[in-house]
C-alpha cells in the first residue's frame, strides 16, 4: 500500500478512484506536565501511537475498497488538556499502476 500526501505518485498512473477513506485514533493518558523532558518524551510516544493506529485504520479502509494507494493524505492532531490525543487521517483511495 502506497501512502502519500501528494496528489500523484511519480512513475505511477491513477487507474481508478475508489473513494475517500479515513482513519481515527484517540489515546487517553493521565495529565502530563509539559515542564520536563521525560514528560515531553512520554507525550511524543502517546501521539506517535495514536498516529500509527489512525494510519493503520486508513490502510484497512483502503484495502476494503481494493485500493493499492491513498493519495492526498491530510493529518489532523488535536489534544485536550494534554491528556487526550485525537488523530484523524483522510485521503483518496485509488488503484495505481
Amino acid at each position: 500500500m502506497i501512502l502519500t500526501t501528494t496528489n500523484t505518485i511519480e512513475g505511477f498512473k491513477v487507474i481508478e478512484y475508489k473513494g475517500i477513506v479515513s482513519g481515527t485514533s484517540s489515546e487517553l493518558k493521565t495529565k502530563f506536565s509539559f515542564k520536563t523532558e521525560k514528560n515531553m518524551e512520554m507525550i511524543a510516544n502517546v501521539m506517535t501511537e495514536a498516529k500509527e493506529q489512525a494510519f493503520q485504520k486508513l490502510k484497512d479502509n483502503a484495502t476494503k475498497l481494493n485500493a493499492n494507494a491513498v493519495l492526498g493524505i491530510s493529518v489532523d492532531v488535536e489534544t485536550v488538556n494534554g491528556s487526550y490525543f485525537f488523530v484523524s487521517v483522510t485521503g483518496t483511495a485509488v488503484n495505481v499502476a
Side-chain angles (χ1 to χ4, degrees):
M1 175 80 56
I2 300 171
L3 304 175
T4 182
T5 58
T6 62
N7 294 321
T8 60
I9 303 169
E10 189 173 335
F12 290 88
K13 181 178 178 180
V14 174
I15 304 300
E16 183 179 13
Y17 289 88
K18 297 293 196 168
I20 296 172
V21 291
S22 63
T24 59
S25 177
S26 59
E27 290 289 321
L28 178 61
K29 298 294 181 189
T30 57
K31 279 195 172 186
F32 295 110
S33 167
F34 287 92
K35 295 179 182 178
T36 68
E37 187 175 318
K38 182 178 180 182
N39 285 341
M40 291 300 289
E41 184 178 331
M42 289 176 9
I43 291 167
N45 290 340
V46 170
M47 290 177 66
T48 298
E49 178 65 28
K51 185 178 75 172
E52 288 175 4
Q53 288 177 11
F55 269 97
Q56 185 59 54
K57 289 178 182 179
L58 176 87
K59 290 192 293 186
D60 292 346
N61 290 332
T63 300
K64 289 176 186 175
L65 296 176
N66 295 316
N68 63 0
V70 180
L71 304 178
I73 294 173
S74 173
V75 179
D76 182 44
V77 179
E78 296 183 28
T79 184
V80 177
N81 297 327
S83 60
Y84 181 77
F85 296 90
F86 180 78
V87 178
S88 174
V89 291
T90 304
T92 303
V94 298
N95 276 334
V96 295

